[in-house]
């Protein structure tokens, strides 16, 4: 084998590695786009403890629906307002948890992005664990 053959073999090896890296980058880009879509569409539901209020929210915080049972109307305005607000917050946290699970599945448990997102959610929703969860 000549040095020219060695150089060609090395060049072909380098080209193959570059093609593999490009393909891997394309796959990761597609995975990231899919994960971003999954995170954007994550929703969850929360129901107040006595089932007077049911809320569906997205991971981004948007409230999709609020259902108030007839029994809730027996509360005074302040109590009902607090009940709705608390249930909305739990639904938002539940949806954020769904999105975080999807991120974790895509990026892995040890991902710095997953860890940072988990910490941000824990900080943001530190006091919103009342209510019943249903997804």
């Amino acid at each position: 084998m000549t040095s020219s053959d060695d150089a060609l073999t090395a060049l072909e090896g380098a080209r193959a590695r570059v093609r593999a890296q490009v393909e891997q980058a394309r796959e990761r880009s597609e995975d990231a786009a899919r994960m971003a879509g999954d995170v954007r569409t994550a929703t969850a539901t929360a129901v107040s403890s006595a089932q007077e209020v049911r809320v569906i929210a997205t991971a981004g915080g948007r409230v999709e629906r609020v259902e108030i049972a007839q029994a809730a109307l027996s509360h005074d305005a302040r109590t009902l307002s607090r009940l709705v607000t608390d249930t909305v917050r739990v639904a938002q946290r539940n949806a954020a948890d769904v999105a975080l699970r999807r991120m974790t599945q895509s990026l892995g448990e040890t991902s710095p992005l997953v860890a940072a997102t988990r910490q941000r959610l824990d900080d943001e929703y530190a006091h919103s664990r009342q209510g019943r969860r249903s997804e």
Side-chain angles (χ1 to χ4, degrees), residues 53-115:
V53 177
R54 180 176 181 267
V55 176
I56 300 170
T58 68
R62 189 175 69 242
V63 175
E64 295 285 322
R65 183 174 187 146
V66 174
E67 297 173 359
I68 299 176
Q70 188 67 35
L73 301 179
S74 65
H75 294 298
D76 62 84
R78 179 177 291 183
T79 301
L80 181 57
S81 177
R82 184 178 38 77
L83 188 59
V84 170
T85 301
D86 290 348
T87 307
V88 164
R89 192 115 170 108
V90 172
Q92 290 169 329
R93 173 61 196 243
N94 291 350
D97 286 343
V98 168
L100 182 61
R101 280 195 302 279
R102 290 177 182 177
M103 284 178 66
T104 303
Q105 290 170 346
S106 183
L107 300 175
E109 188 66 42
T110 60
S111 164
L113 180 59
V114 169

Side-chain angles (χ1 to χ4, degrees), residues 110-129:
T110 60
S111 164
L113 180 59
V114 169
T117 302
R118 182 177 289 117
Q119 184 61 55
R120 183 183 61 77
L121 292 176
D122 287 346
D123 292 346
E124 184 174 340
Y125 292 103
H127 303 292
S128 64
R129 276 297 170 206

Side-chain angles (χ1 to χ4, degrees), residues 35-55:
M35 180 199 61
D38 287 348
V39 167
R40 263 193 311 280
T41 61
T43 62
T45 301
V47 179
S48 61
S49 59
Q51 300 183 10
E52 311 103 313
V53 177
R54 180 176 181 267
V55 176

